[in-house]
Amino acid sequence: MTRTTTLCFLLLSTACSSKTEDPATSKDSGIPSVILDGGGSIPDPPDGSAACQSGSCNYQSQDCPSGQTCVPSASPPATGDWPPSCENAGTVGEGQPCSGWNDCAAGSFCVGVSQDADGGVQPGTCRRLCCGGDWTACGVGQSCIQQLYLVRPGGGDPVYANADVCAPVGTCDVLDPKSCSDPNRSCQIVDPVGNVACAPAGTAAIGAGCSEKVSCVAGASCVGGTCRRLCKAELGLPEPPCPTEEGVCVHFKRDPEGVGECTHVQ
């Protein structure tokens, strides 16, 4: 049985560059209430292969012989790291239901298998393996945002396998607090390139401190260690999208399309 958790990223603040004029301006400042080209930059992707757990093969580069796949060892040691090993590959394609350790085709692993109250097995899904949050390892509409936790054959607490999996993104709206059906999850920016997905709901309020371990409430993003309100980055809005005390709505390259951050500018 596997358990997955969502990776958090600390997005660093960048200064604004040029400004796009908006008929609506913030009160008493003369500054447009929405700036569409706040600049910033997208960081280079992490070296996913180097971040994978060392062992007889590599989860991300998939360097096993033909017909085999690099997955967590089906017979891990009782303690310590969970090593990768070459196992016979299955035939179930990525994104399809699975229930066995090596049901999935080469490069994917079966995650999310669970047991119901009657002892029956609820199937999981074949997801592509990746490491270190390297979004370039994933296909279109996915990002490397879920950590892979596994339970040893003898039981005990789940163990992080030093591997991640590619999961669907773009499945919710960060400006809609009700866009995730699970009340314990909220729509969040989940990687440095602006992808969004439903993730465990945070508790840090707007303006409060945040980190990789302390995430923000719905409708906010962790920028430079502080929760910053997300806003609708669109010209011609009838009212400024940000409260006056939080600045103006600035869209940075790191933000999803149509979304900005309430930011103080000069």
Side-chain angles (χ1 to χ4, degrees):
M1 182 177 70
T2 63
R3 185 184 74 179
T4 59
T5 58
T6 302
L7 288 170
C8 297
F9 292 86
L10 181 63
L11 305 183
L12 300 179
S13 178
T14 55
C16 296
S17 57
S18 58
K19 301 173 183 177
T20 300
E21 295 299 325
D22 183 1
T25 59
S26 59
K27 293 180 180 179
D28 303 323
S29 69
I31 298 174
S33 65
V34 177
I35 298 174
L36 298 181
D37 53 353
S41 61
I42 299 299
D44 292 333
D47 186 343
S49 294
C52 292
Q53 172 65 41
S54 60
S56 60
C57 58
N58 188 278
Y59 292 131
Q60 187 159 307
S61 61
Q62 287 294 316
D63 48 359
C64 291
S66 177
Q68 295 190 327
T69 182
C70 186
V71 294
S73 172
S75 301
T79 60
D81 292 330
W82 199 301
S85 67
C86 291
E87 308 280 347
N88 290 330
T91 58
V92 179
E94 185 179 340
Q96 299 302 307
C98 57
S99 58
W101 196 266
N102 56 351
D103 281 357
C104 304
S108 296
F109 187 65
C110 189
V111 300
V113 177
S114 62
Q115 193 172 42
D116 59 30
D118 298 326
V121 175
Q122 297 299 312
T125 305
C126 287
R127 298 289 185 202
R128 187 181 307 182
L129 287 159
C130 56
C131 299
D134 183 1
W135 59 87
T136 64
C138 303
V140 176
Q142 299 182 2
S143 189
C144 186
I145 58 173
Q146 288 187 331
Q147 295 177 308
L148 180 62
Y149 280 80
L150 303 169
V151 176
R152 296 184 189 279
D157 294 332
V159 177
Y160 180 44
N162 283 316
D164 309 325
V165 295
C166 299
V169 292
T171 56
C172 57
D173 181 356
V174 291
L175 301 180
D176 180 0
K178 297 181 179 180
S179 65
C180 295
S181 58
D182 185 342
N184 297 314
R185 300 173 79 83
S186 64
C187 190
Q188 300 175 29
I189 299 174
V190 291
D191 65 18
V193 296
N195 283 313
V196 303
C198 292
T203 57
I206 292 170
C210 54
S211 66
E212 291 184 359
K213 296 182 178 180
V214 180
S215 54
C216 303
V217 295
S221 183
C222 191
V223 181
T226 302
C227 290
R228 184 179 289 181
R229 186 188 304 272
L230 296 173
C231 51
K232 189 173 185 178
E234 181 178 309
L235 298 179
L237 297 174
E239 297 290 338
C242 294
T244 302
E245 65 274 14
E246 294 179 26
V248 300
C249 186
V250 183
H251 172 78
F252 297 97
K253 289 182 179 179
R254 61 175 173 257
D255 295 323
E257 184 177 356
V259 175
E261 306 161 16
C262 292
T263 308
H264 290 286
V265 300
Q266 294 180 352

